[in-house]
Amino acid sequence: MTDVTDKIALVTGAGQGVGRGIALALAAGGARVILAGRTETKLEAVHAEIVAAGGQADVVSADVRKAPDIDALVASVADRHGGIDILVNNAQQAVLAPLLGIDDEELLLTFESGPFATFRMMKAVHPHMKRRGGGAIINLVSSTAINWDSSGTAAYSAAKQAIGAMTRVAASEWGPDGIRVNNIAPLAGSPAMLAWLDAKPEGPDAYLSTIPMRRIGDPQRDIGRVVLFLASDDAAYITGATIPVDGGQANWN
């Protein structure tokens, strides 16, 4: 397996779904994973899974919508472990509704938990990664904005497009510091995704038919292992890229 032994990996939104899968994969690859999120009980459950499998993890409660929480989170991790090697910006709250059904507060919620949090987290970890000679940042984007029908995703699509643009800029500016910054665009069985799928009037089969591989990705096996690869030295010459991990559903060409 791709190796990130002894690396310090900070994963936001690590208590469930894709964040949990990424955390489990990084821990299996040898990293000490810092599980960050708002719900400590969920984080503790993931922590127990990692420890039971022989991995290493710590739990830190934080709300990425709050700048002081981000500053305190990054400072505490860097102080305790001497730095940060891997950052995964997974946390995201989103309002999925038609454009005319979204108000300013809902748009702000989506952007504060998405691009604003990603922006602040990247800036906060930069000096710690630079001091260690480099690091890897993996941000989560989405194919919703490039799908043939993006209806009902105005806030979410805009937020994810903003994250994608910042990733490319950070990759360009921070390459000389040894910091690689990439995106993944996952399609995986998070609680929100599965609830949305179950609520579709036509049922899940119609949606699954749009995926060439005819299944929803597994958060650990399918998504987490790609993040593990991008975080490792095996991806040492990859930066500024967006990698779809969606069973071939979206056409990114």
Side-chain angles (χ1 to χ4, degrees):
M1 179 177 283
T2 300
D3 184 50
V4 288
T5 299
D6 297 329
K7 300 293 187 182
I8 304 302
L10 173 55
V11 181
T12 68
Q16 64 182 12
V18 172
R20 169 186 166 274
I22 290 170
L24 292 173
L26 288 170
R32 185 175 195 97
V33 185
I34 314 303
L35 308 167
R38 295 179 299 153
T39 308
E40 197 161 340
T41 53
K42 293 180 180 180
L43 298 174
E44 292 289 358
V46 179
H47 178 271
E49 287 186 83
I50 290 174
V51 172
Q56 303 179 81
D58 296 312
V59 169
V60 182
S61 180
D63 184 349
V64 297
R65 291 181 63 197
K66 301 175 181 178
D69 275 25
I70 288 176
D71 292 339
L73 167 63
V74 172
S76 67
V77 173
D79 288 346
R80 181 172 181 179
H81 300 288
I84 297 170
D85 303 296
I86 300 162
L87 168 65
V88 182
N89 282 306
N90 165 72
Q92 172 77 69
Q93 294 172 262
V95 177
L96 295 174
L99 190 64
L100 295 176
I102 300 171
D103 60 27
D104 287 2
E105 185 176 336
E106 291 169 328
L107 183 64
L108 186 60
L109 165 71
T110 306
F111 269 74
E112 282 184 337
S113 62
F116 273 89
T118 297
F119 169 74
R120 290 165 175 160
M121 288 292 299
M122 289 197 299
K123 286 182 66 178
V125 303
H126 176 270
H128 303 291
M129 288 186 172
K130 183 178 180 180
R131 192 175 303 119
R132 286 163 85 87
I137 298 173
I138 297 95
N139 296 326
L140 272 71
V141 296
S142 174
S143 64
T144 52
I146 64 168
N147 286 345
W148 69 272
D149 183 2
S150 297
S151 301
T153 70
Y156 182 72
S157 292
K160 290 302 187 181
Q161 288 291 88
I163 290 171
M166 282 193 291
T167 296
R168 182 64 198 180
V169 171
S172 299
E173 294 179 351
W174 297 353
D177 299 326
I179 300 171
R180 297 182 296 105
V181 192
N182 290 292
N183 296 313
I184 63 164
L187 177 61
S190 68
M193 172 65 189
L194 295 177
W196 174 80
L197 196 59
D198 288 341
K200 292 181 76 64
E202 66 273 25
D205 288 346
Y207 184 78
L208 291 175
S209 70
T210 69
I211 305 170
M213 299 190 73
R214 297 297 192 269
R215 66 179 179 86
I216 302 295
D218 179 80
Q220 180 180 0
R221 184 179 64 250
D222 296 317
I223 312 304
R225 289 179 181 174
V226 174
V227 171
L228 175 60
F229 165 71
L230 288 173
S232 74
D233 289 342
D234 290 344
Y237 201 51
I238 300 175
T239 194
T242 296
I243 299 180
V245 194
D246 63 358
Q249 187 194 44
N251 183 359
W252 287 81
N253 297 324

